[in-house]
Amino acid sequence: MDKNLENNSFRFTEKLLYEYKHMKSHIEHLERLRKDIKSDDNVAVRAITYDGVKVSPTYKISNAVLDGVIDPVSVIQEIDINIYHEKSLIKKIDIAINNLDPIRKNIIKERYWNKIGWTIMSQELHCDEKTLRKYKKQAVKSIAIELFGSNVFKEEEPNLFNMLDI
């Protein structure tokens, strides 16, 4: 494990927090799409072309053309898998945020979800900007540990990690 891994996981966690609302709306979009596909109103088929060479004297449609019909069940399964993965990620993030103390939770919500600046946030939370930045770093690190595990930050105290009985 190196410092680069720690920085990458920290930055990736920040990106996830910035895009949290968009991930939730994407889940809603996928659920609407699944509902639309499940409805009987939609029939999706691939176009049949006769550009190829004549294969048989009866002009029987080949299996490749029959296979061209889009199977709604497989599309729905793929959408369900995507929904499951995205909901799992959202749930992990929610649990990590709920494990934070109230001030750090507010900092995450204001900074990443509402995109509030440090000056306004320091006035609202009655705390100086330097302390807020320190709390933000601690909160993002806690969330990253929830998402990626503690090994990401093993470099900070390698001797202590080796002493743990895990």
Side-chain angles (χ1 to χ4, degrees), residues 25-37:
S25 77
H26 186 252
I27 290 170
E28 292 170 8
H29 168 73
L30 288 174
E31 288 173 339
R32 282 192 306 272
L33 182 63
R34 177 180 59 192
K35 182 182 173 190
D36 288 345
I37 292 173

Side-chain angles (χ1 to χ4, degrees), residues 26-27 29-38 72-86:
H26 186 252
I27 290 170
H29 168 73
L30 288 174
E31 288 173 339
R32 282 192 306 272
L33 182 63
R34 177 180 59 192
K35 182 182 173 190
D36 288 345
I37 292 173
K38 278 186 175 180
V73 173
S74 64
V75 172
I76 290 171
Q77 286 175 341
E78 187 176 326
I79 291 171
D80 285 340
I81 291 169
N82 287 339
I83 290 172
Y84 172 78
H85 288 296
E86 291 197 25

Side-chain angles (χ1 to χ4, degrees), residues 36-79:
D36 288 345
I37 292 173
K38 278 186 175 180
S39 72
D40 294 332
D41 300 340
N42 295 331
V43 176
V45 294
R46 191 178 302 159
I48 300 173
T49 63
Y50 294 102
D51 296 337
V53 180
K54 178 179 160 187
V55 211
S56 68
T58 62
Y59 297 101
K60 182 179 177 185
I61 297 175
S62 70
N63 284 340
V65 174
L66 291 175
D67 295 339
V69 175
I70 297 172
D71 182 19
V73 173
S74 64
V75 172
I76 290 171
Q77 286 175 341
E78 187 176 326
I79 291 171

Side-chain angles (χ1 to χ4, degrees), residues 51-144:
D51 296 337
V53 180
K54 178 179 160 187
V55 211
S56 68
T58 62
Y59 297 101
K60 182 179 177 185
I61 297 175
S62 70
N63 284 340
V65 174
L66 291 175
D67 295 339
V69 175
I70 297 172
D71 182 19
V73 173
S74 64
V75 172
I76 290 171
Q77 286 175 341
E78 187 176 326
I79 291 171
D80 285 340
I81 291 169
N82 287 339
I83 290 172
Y84 172 78
H85 288 296
E86 291 197 25
K87 280 187 174 182
S88 295
L89 178 59
I90 291 289
K91 186 176 180 180
K92 279 183 168 183
I93 293 171
D94 286 341
I95 290 170
I97 290 171
N98 286 331
N99 287 338
L100 298 173
D101 62 69
I103 184 96
R104 287 171 180 80
K105 190 183 304 186
N106 285 337
I107 291 170
I108 293 296
K109 289 178 181 178
E110 294 296 323
R111 183 71 183 160
Y112 293 103
W113 299 349
N114 299 332
K115 307 211 180 4
I116 303 292
W118 291 113
T119 308
I120 296 170
M121 200 184 326
S122 66
Q123 292 169 356
E124 288 178 1
L125 299 176
H126 309 290
C127 199
D128 66 291
E129 199 174 309
K130 185 177 179 182
T131 305
L132 289 177
R133 288 178 188 268
K134 182 179 87 173
Y135 288 166
K136 180 213 61 139
K137 186 176 181 179
Q138 292 169 350
V140 172
K141 184 176 175 181
S142 294
I143 294 168

